[in-house]
Amino acid sequence: METLSGRSLIGFREGRGGDEPMYATNPATGQRLQPGFLPATREEVDLAAELSAKAFDVYQRVSGHDRGAFLRAIAAKIESAAGEIIERAAQETALPQARLQGETARTCAQMRLFAQVAEEGSWVQARIDRPDPNRKPAPKPDLRSMLRPLGPVVVFGASNFPLAFSVAGGDTASAFAGGNTVIFKAHPAHPGTSELVGQAIQQSVRECGLPEGVFSLLFDAGPQVGTELLKHPLVKAGAFTGSRTVGRILMDVAASRPEPIPFYAEMSSTNPVFILPGALHERGDNIAAGLHTSFTLGAGQFCTKPGMVFLPQGSEAAAFAKKLQQLVAGSAPVHLLTKTIHALYDSAIAARKADPSIKRVAEGPPAAKDVSFAVSCALFETDAASFLGSELDSEIFGPTTLLVQHSSHDQVLSIARSLEGHLTATIQGTEQDLREFADLIAILENKVGRLVFNGFPTGVEVTHAMVHGGPYPSTSDGRSTSVGSQAIFRFARPVCYQGFPDNALPAELKDSNPLGIWRMLDGEMSR
């Protein structure tokens, strides 16, 4: 792997960049890290888009087998440079080595999952309706359809996952697997990590004999480069993981273009947890311990962090809160990822302390007032009446959660109906609880993308069945997922071929089915 240059990677070229470099900061020490990274210029944005569009003309026709080989090559390159990548990521994020090792493994695993999907090929959803020349009153034509890639995709890096939701993350992997080219806008929190992974992809493009422009990586400290990319007429889709404020701005940019494009944003989620009476009675202490681990994991900077917890009021709720109070009071300070996240967390915690409807139950030992981004864990409590009609369901990025005690079954349902869209909802219950609260589950099915029973939401498996999405504002389009193999469908559209001779059809639609994929033939699934 090459040393860091601090320059954008534009196809096979190194960008020159603007005049004012940006620097990553070590969250644990406040130290400015070298080198400086120069933001891409407008001319470099244009060049990246032009190379991406030109490469797409070729890459969209690359076989699924060759796309799979490309994705596997990326995974192998990342693994070969894992020590260097993890060392830099630790400096830029202050995340522990074990976490970064796990995230590296996940990043490579999702590359290989999408390689498998591309190689197998049935994801294109091929459908064939054979003709009937004798149908009356008019003959039925030969109709065949399949999914085709969209074109150049702009992907925005996330602050909280320097690997798995970054340069070689799920958005990039799913776009590549579907035949799209990718222009990646690096997150300013971890530019060095981004460049190292970007080098792995750039080298894989070369070694796999793919055209220049299949991948580019651009740096910028602010919104300018990302906005210019999303507005560029050659760009055909976008993907983003971050705050609701920025996600909403980018959604509007994508929608207001002369040619609007699909934009998939994962924005904010508070991930409600409902502790039902039977579970609270049987295993309240165990649930408290699991909840504490979940909302402090990764310093509470996971998009699936449980940020509000609903439980029936009474002596068992008081015992639950006391157990959680003990755990929080013993929690050491943690480091947040960026100065902005640190400031927003401090502001949100101060606002909750000043709110007379909220009680501060516990807070960890105070963080040192130095140059680091350290904060204390915090636990708050309120009642259902205060919660309903308030804005207490807003996401707070960091190690805190809110207990909400309710008084009746109907009040639980009112709370559930009041919720906006979230990525997850968790139910801690017994089989009897599930029978008694079937109406709660029915409501939550329309509020979230993933329902968790007797677990916690902070583990997101990369599998075929996983859904990491949800109704607005958790995402911009609740019909999609950004994790799991179904993510490939975001960057594809159906194309129908009517009356074409067999030799002019894509291989996926030929009569002989040379790829051996699953297809719908006259309404029946067949190989």
Side-chain angles (χ1 to χ4, degrees):
M1 194 68 68
E2 302 173 12
T3 57
L4 294 175
S5 69
R7 305 293 191 273
S8 296
L9 307 178
I10 305 170
F12 297 151
R13 315 171 198 198
E14 185 178 278
R16 298 185 64 180
D19 296 329
E20 291 295 327
M22 65 173 185
Y23 296 86
T25 302
N26 186 321
T29 65
Q31 174 191 3
R32 191 169 78 171
L33 301 173
Q34 297 292 335
F37 289 80
L38 293 175
T41 64
R42 180 180 291 275
E43 291 73 22
E44 289 170 341
V45 168
D46 286 338
L47 177 60
E50 289 161 7
L51 289 173
S52 190
K54 185 177 180 181
F56 173 71
D57 291 340
V58 176
Y59 186 67
Q60 66 172 320
R61 302 296 175 187
V62 168
S63 70
H65 179 270
D66 288 343
R67 287 182 210 159
F70 172 45
L71 294 173
R72 294 183 193 279
I74 294 170
K77 287 282 186 190
I78 292 172
E79 287 171 341
S80 68
E84 185 180 1
I85 291 169
I86 289 170
E87 181 182 2
R88 179 69 187 199
Q91 294 172 4
E92 293 183 328
T93 66
L95 293 172
Q97 186 175 39
R99 153 74 190 274
L100 292 170
Q101 289 172 334
E103 197 177 325
T104 303
R106 171 188 168 138
T107 301
C108 295
Q110 65 193 7
M111 277 288 170
R112 293 187 171 109
L113 174 70
F114 281 104
Q116 175 190 347
V117 170
E119 290 162 346
E120 194 279 330
S122 298
W123 76 272
V124 299
Q125 298 184 354
R127 298 181 176 215
I128 299 174
D129 294 318
R130 288 179 287 196
D132 182 359
N134 299 316
R135 191 186 68 175
K136 304 297 183 183
K140 176 186 174 185
D142 184 279
L143 295 166
R144 304 178 187 223
S145 70
M146 61 179 286
L147 296 177
R148 296 290 307 157
L150 296 178
V153 175
V154 171
V155 177
F156 293 79
S159 65
N160 57 337
F161 282 89
L163 296 164
F165 280 80
S166 190
V167 181
D171 292 336
T172 298
S174 57
F176 278 155
N180 303 276
T181 52
V182 171
I183 308 169
F184 194 91
K185 161 61 175 66
H187 197 283
H190 39 78
T193 308
S194 297
E195 185 181 344
L196 292 173
V197 177
Q199 290 172 5
I201 299 178
Q202 185 187 60
Q203 292 169 13
S204 298
V205 174
R206 281 186 184 274
E207 293 177 10
C208 291
L210 298 173
E212 181 183 19
V214 165
F215 171 77
S216 289
L217 168 71
L218 303 185
F219 293 111
D220 191 17
Q224 182 175 344
V225 167
T227 302
E228 289 176 358
L229 282 170
L230 206 57
K231 289 180 176 179
H232 202 286
L234 294 177
V235 167
K236 300 303 178 184
F240 168 86
T241 299
S243 70
R244 188 190 306 193
T245 299
V246 177
R248 181 71 239 192
I249 291 170
L250 294 175
M251 277 179 65
D252 293 343
V253 169
S256 62
R257 291 170 33 132
E259 177 201 352
I261 57 173
F263 182 71
Y264 297 97
E266 179 199 314
M267 294 181 289
S268 68
S269 183
T270 315
N271 306 297
V273 175
F274 291 84
I275 304 175
L276 301 184
L280 183 63
H281 176 72
E282 290 184 2
R283 47 190 174 86
D285 281 1
N286 288 339
I287 296 172
L291 177 66
H292 173 258
T293 298
S294 188
F295 81 78
T296 58
L297 189 66
Q301 296 170 110
F302 286 179
C303 46
T304 51
K305 183 202 77 174
M308 50 188 175
V309 184
F310 304 98
L311 67 169
Q313 65 185 29
S315 58
E316 289 174 337
F320 178 89
K322 184 175 181 180
K323 174 65 175 178
L324 204 52
Q325 177 185 21
Q326 294 168 352
L327 293 168
V328 170
S331 300
V334 294
H335 292 99
L336 301 184
L337 290 162
T338 70
K339 184 176 181 179
T340 298
I341 293 172
H342 180 263
L344 290 172
Y345 180 80
D346 277 352
S347 176
I349 294 301
R352 288 206 162 168
K353 290 177 179 178
D355 189 333
S357 70
I358 301 173
K359 173 187 175 184
R360 182 181 62 171
V361 177
E363 193 165 9
K369 297 298 183 182
D370 55 19
V371 293
S372 74
F373 304 153
V375 297
S376 302
C377 303
L379 176 66
F380 296 92
E381 186 176 66
T382 190
D383 57 69
S386 298
F387 178 85
L388 288 166
S390 73
E391 295 184 358
L392 295 177
D393 60 345
S394 298
E395 181 183 41
I396 298 179
F397 215 52
T400 184
T401 198
L402 174 69
L403 302 181
V404 182
Q405 295 194 25
H406 56 79
S407 60
S408 68
H409 187 116
D410 287 344
Q411 201 168 46
V412 175
L413 300 186
S414 295
I415 289 168
R417 292 190 186 99
S418 75
L419 297 175
E420 57 185 12
H422 295 276
L423 294 170
T424 74
T426 297
I427 295 172
Q428 293 283 346
T430 63
E431 290 190 8
Q432 178 65 27
D433 286 331
L434 288 182
R435 287 190 290 270
E436 294 179 359
F437 286 85
D439 43 6
L440 171 63
I441 298 169
I443 294 169
L444 293 177
E445 286 173 343
N446 294 309
K447 296 288 186 177
V448 304
R450 177 165 59 108
L451 286 164
V452 180
F453 179 63
N454 284 351
F456 294 94
T458 35
V460 183
E461 292 290 333
V462 182
T463 66
H464 296 292
M466 175 53 66
V467 173
H468 189 64
Y472 182 86
S474 63
T475 68
S476 57
D477 189 337
R479 299 168 296 176
S480 65
T481 176
S482 64
V483 177
S485 61
Q486 294 180 93
I488 199 171
F489 299 129
R490 295 173 300 165
F491 307 123
R493 64 183 182 88
V495 177
C496 182
Y497 303 79
Q498 180 172 332
F500 273 65
D502 190 71
N503 61 7
L505 287 166
E508 292 89 344
L509 299 177
K510 290 183 182 297
D511 286 337
S512 62
N513 193 12
L515 302 181
I517 62 174
W518 285 101
R519 310 189 297 184
M520 181 179 285
L521 181 62
D522 295 330
E524 299 287 339
M525 295 306 298
S526 168
R527 263 188 162 147

